[in-house]
Amino acid sequence: MRTPTRIDAIADAHTHALAAANPTFATVLGLPGFDHLMGDASPAHHHEALALNKRTLAELDATPAADAVDEVTIAAMRERLGIENELIEAGEYRADLNVIASPVQMRDIFDLMPTATAEQWAAIAA
């Protein structure tokens, strides 16, 4: 078993911040506590995501890798967050309208939500 590192903590914090800002992302990941919420697709949301990504990248730059796993985590996060930042800065979110995976097409999120209890159904209704 590998002891979690500072890089792992940065990655986890980023994931939890994304979940709080985008509840449907949390549902897709299976993180509990967000199923009753919908995300914000406004320009302000995307600029907040850009700021979060930049803060996370700065933390990664300031934190040395403890091992090879950290090196892979850093490389993957730099690549993904860097591309996401480029897309946000280019305004690509304004054109995110398609029948499969746009913010408008949220029907499939309900298939991912648990339905075993009355509370879970109440989250879907909310």
Side-chain angles (χ1 to χ4, degrees):
M1 173 82 46
R2 180 175 170 272
T3 302
T5 66
R6 177 71 184 125
I7 297 296
D8 296 322
I10 292 168
D12 287 346
H14 185 83
T15 300
H16 288 287
L18 283 178
N22 188 348
T24 53
F25 171 74
T27 298
V28 168
L29 290 182
L31 296 175
F34 298 94
D35 288 341
H36 65 293
L37 302 170
M38 293 299 289
D40 177 8
S42 72
H45 165 76
H46 293 284
H47 292 289
E48 290 168 9
L50 179 65
L52 171 64
N53 290 349
K54 287 181 177 183
R55 286 191 306 272
T56 299
L57 288 168
E59 282 187 78
L60 290 173
D61 289 343
T63 307
D67 56 21
V69 173
D70 277 359
E71 291 172 5
V72 170
T73 301
I74 292 167
M77 289 186 73
R78 281 186 180 142
E79 187 269 339
R80 288 286 88 196
L81 298 181
I83 288 174
E84 185 175 327
N85 287 355
E86 289 177 23
L87 291 170
I88 293 169
E89 289 169 341
E92 286 296 314
Y93 61 88
R94 294 183 189 113
D96 191 11
L97 183 61
N98 64 70
V99 297
I100 296 174
S102 75
V104 178
Q105 302 297 335
M106 298 309 300
R107 297 175 306 219
D108 62 341
I109 199 71
F110 298 110
D111 292 335
L112 299 173
M113 296 171 74
T115 58
T117 68
E119 291 81 17
Q120 291 166 338
W121 277 106
I124 290 171

